[in-house]
Amino acid sequence: MNISEAAAESGVPAKTIRYYEDIGLVRPPRLANGYRVFGAAELAALAFIGRARSLGFSVEDCRTLLALEQGGTSHDVKVIAEEHLTRIAAKIAELEAMRGTLKALVSRCRGDDGADCPIMDDLRRPAHATHAA
Amino acid sequence: MNISEAAAESGVPAKTIRYYEDIGLVRPPRLANGYRVFGAAELAALAFIGRARSLGFSVEDCRTLLALEQGGTSHDVKVIAEEHLTRIAAKIAELEAMRGTLKALVSRCRGDDGADCPIMDDLRRPAHATHAA
DNA sequence: CCTTGACCTTCCAGTGGCTGGAAGCCCCAT
DNA sequence: ATGGGGCTTCCAGCCACTGGAAGGTCAAGG
């Protein structure tokens, strides 16, 4: 199986597969002409990475998880997942804070052709005085 | 006022201020010796950018918003803010989907020294079969 | 006057995770 | 033989910084 087939099967773009090889995540063997060859093992690794990435794991996490595939414990995996979960929760909290502030500002903004704008007023505020008096 | 004072006052790191000048967001004048000088206007711009960035606006959005400071309408600003709000909401939704899946997997993972792990099982799944049968 | 040390300057490189594009093989079908 | 679609490599760029090296400048102290 060549790279474009592997891309179609795994859902990982060919360009990205080459990148993953570059950073040592996958190591597909080569034919005499230099073409990469993807077998069941390589395909499984690519799908695994693809799935992990779609859950937001970093490429380094993927590397670790792939290593844990060959003899890691459920505990090892859980630790990685929990740390990732914490990062996700923190990111969500950060975004929700932004959304809250922005929503309030947008709702107070008339959005007409005047220059008066609560959003701009907020941005012009000295520091982080969100919407207090 | 020199760059480190401006950094302290605005909350934007000196390195970042230089970067902002590099990309043309701010244009502080220079002394004969080459040192940047920050007056009230520059300081206000830096604080404005800092605040906008903290609300998640992109640097390009900041550029636009700064331009709107000199004669833009409330409507112009609101459009930018609403688009940004949409992007934030999308990102939150994406992260919450991840969190939901991961939470479920983590809760089902014993986290002991065995190799059996629902998280790994999920990652090994062919495509995007989250937690269905 | 000279040194010290804290500023300031510029420029280069790296972060993460790709992605686009150019230049150049390779292979098969016509 | 030629055309077109693969494949290969490598370089550059995205976003928004950030670290660090090399070197200029300035005020204070000895």
Side-chain angles (χ1 to χ4, degrees), chain A residues 13 15-16 19-20 33 35 53 58-59:
Chain A
K15 259 303 202 195
T16 305
Y19 168 71
Y20 286 162
N33 62 13
Y35 285 24
R53 293 288 300 128
S58 72
V59 164

Side-chain angles (χ1 to χ4, degrees), chain A residues 61-90:
Chain A
D61 280 344
C62 290
R63 195 189 299 279
T64 307
L65 290 169
L66 277 173
L68 292 179
E69 271 276 82
Q70 335 283 67
T73 68
S74 155
H75 174 76
D76 298 332
V77 176
K78 192 170 187 172
V79 167
I80 309 268
E82 278 171 344
E83 283 171 2
H84 180 42
L85 210 38
T86 303
R87 284 193 298 268
I88 288 177

Side-chain angles (χ1 to χ4, degrees), chain B residues 91-103:
Chain B
K91 191 71 191 168
I92 288 175
E94 186 191 341
L95 289 171
E96 279 183 341
M98 289 177 186
R99 179 170 61 175
T101 303
L102 271 169
K103 258 188 168 174

Side-chain angles (χ1 to χ4, degrees), chain A residues 95 99, chain B residues 84-96:
Chain A
L95 289 171
R99 180 170 60 176
Chain B
H84 180 41
L85 210 37
T86 302
R87 285 193 298 269
I88 288 177
K91 191 71 191 168
I92 288 175
E94 186 191 341
L95 289 171
E96 279 183 341

Side-chain angles (χ1 to χ4, degrees), chain B residues 13 15-16 19-20 33 35 53 58-59:
Chain B
K15 264 286 199 203
T16 304
Y19 168 70
Y20 287 161
N33 62 12
Y35 287 22
R53 294 286 301 128
S58 71
V59 164

Side-chain angles (χ1 to χ4, degrees), chain B residues 5-108:
Chain B
E5 262 184 293
E9 288 289 315
S10 68
V12 178
K15 264 286 199 203
T16 304
I17 296 176
R18 290 195 193 98
Y19 168 70
Y20 287 161
E21 186 188 21
D22 226 45
I23 62 172
L25 264 195
V26 286
R27 308 182 189 279
R30 306 287 187 122
L31 292 178
N33 62 12
Y35 287 22
R36 291 167 184 84
V37 191
F38 297 83
E42 285 77 23
L43 218 60
L46 285 174
F48 183 96
I49 297 166
R51 174 75 180 136
R53 294 286 301 128
S54 83
L55 287 178
F57 284 104
S58 71
V59 164
E60 280 319 298
D61 279 344
C62 290
R63 194 190 300 279
T64 308
L65 290 170
L66 276 173
L68 291 179
E69 272 275 83
Q70 334 284 69
T73 67
S74 155
H75 174 76
D76 298 332
V77 176
K78 191 170 187 172
V79 166
I80 309 269
E82 278 171 343
E83 284 171 3
H84 180 41
L85 210 37
T86 302
R87 285 193 298 269
I88 288 177
K91 191 71 191 168
I92 288 175
E94 186 191 341
L95 289 171
E96 279 183 341
M98 289 177 186
R99 179 170 61 175
T101 303
L102 271 169
K103 258 188 168 174
L105 292 172
V106 163
S107 75
R108 292 201 288 116

